[in-house]
Amino acid sequence: MPVVQNPNPSPVVLITALNWGLGHATRCVPLIRQLNAMGCTVLLAAEGQSLVLLREAFPSLEWLETPGFKVSYAQNGKVTWSMIRQSPAFLRSIEQERVWLDKFLQKRHVDLIISDNRYGFRHPDCRSVLLTHQLRVCYPSLPLADTLFRRFMRKQLKGFDALWIPDRAQQQNLSGELSRDEALPLSPTYIGPLSRFAGVEDTLPAMKDWPEPIRFLFLVSGPEPAASGFRDALRKQATQIGEGCVLVSGQPGQTGQAVEWVKRGALIEVPHLPGPLLCRAVQQAELVICRSGYSSLMDLAILGKKALLIPTPGQPEQEYLARYYKDMGWAYAVAQSSLDLQRDAIRALSYRGIYSDVDAPALQLAINAELSCIND
């Protein structure tokens, strides 16, 4: 059945983000802002905490709840077996996405789909863009995994019309070798780093009623059960480095718009900070302690922050990025099993920090190119 014709004068863009941690949703925020500024009608499609975050950031936009796949990372280091075990369910979720999208497009018109790492959100009758920074695994001890993942990506890309990479094309980029593959069926378009913190410095709220200045900011992110393990590890060691420690638990939707913090000894805990307040907290912190997820790294780079990176155990992408940033001298990194905050925070402060900026013209050009294809 053909897709429905557009009853509106403005282009309709469906934005969908993966729900494997909040990073896929947060990096869609600047993209949605740009689409709104260009007069597009934006529809939000996600599930779980990603949907909660996007609804919080854009309360006036129409949203849709989609099917999703709940990934679980092995905490014993046996990542290969874990991902093989989950791969049938993951492939089924891609097919479920396709079925959902096909039914939706029989009822509603969409001109353009922009999918952040959701491979089922593509349609032959609708211009479809895949947004991703990861084209490889880059896990030295698992060359077969890298080969298989590259084959998978090349197959998936054949169903899309364009590939956007949120990074720069230069050699010393933020994503390293993850975003490089010379045998792709699509030529990538580099749209520059995407951060929800970019361009909002002059509109940030003050940290009202905050009990004390922030020195060390702990940010928890990622899927369970790894997030809970990380949260517990930080709680146990936070007392080692004195006052001024704040833990943001990465649990949107639990506090609404109010910021409810609790002080436990030297540690201040808050389930979630809305984007503007989180940006202010990151700005004020002397050191950010967080996972080495790519979206978190883009946020830190935009604000030029020093960081202690602790990759999710058994997550090859984060382990690669942690090694890469440490080797580049940008940030100190340590495995969660070896974490000693008193020692590692001091080491992290000696690194020069993560720096980059957005490339607004590149993003706008990429959007214009897709809108031109729609109008042709």
Side-chain angles (χ1 to χ4, degrees), residues 194-213:
L194 293 177
S195 171
R196 56 179 165 165
F197 297 160
V200 300
E201 293 86 352
D202 296 334
T203 62
L204 293 177
M207 301 293 287
K208 294 181 179 179
D209 302 321
W210 205 251
E212 58 192 53

Side-chain angles (χ1 to χ4, degrees), residues 83 160 193 251 364 373:
M83 297 313 291
F160 288 89
Q251 298 169 303
Q364 188 167 353
C373 291

Side-chain angles (χ1 to χ4, degrees), residues 74-80 139 313-314 319:
Q75 298 204 58
N76 57 6
K78 297 180 180 179
V79 61
T80 306
Y139 206 60
E319 292 176 353

Side-chain angles (χ1 to χ4, degrees), residues 254-289:
Q254 296 198 7
T255 60
Q257 293 298 317
V259 176
E260 300 177 3
W261 53 267
V262 176
K263 188 164 184 178
R264 306 179 192 278
L267 180 65
I268 299 167
E269 286 194 39
V270 59
H272 173 65
L273 287 177
L277 279 178
L278 181 61
C279 183
R280 178 67 76 192
V282 173
Q283 278 185 326
Q284 292 183 4
E286 184 178 353
L287 181 71
V288 178
I289 297 95

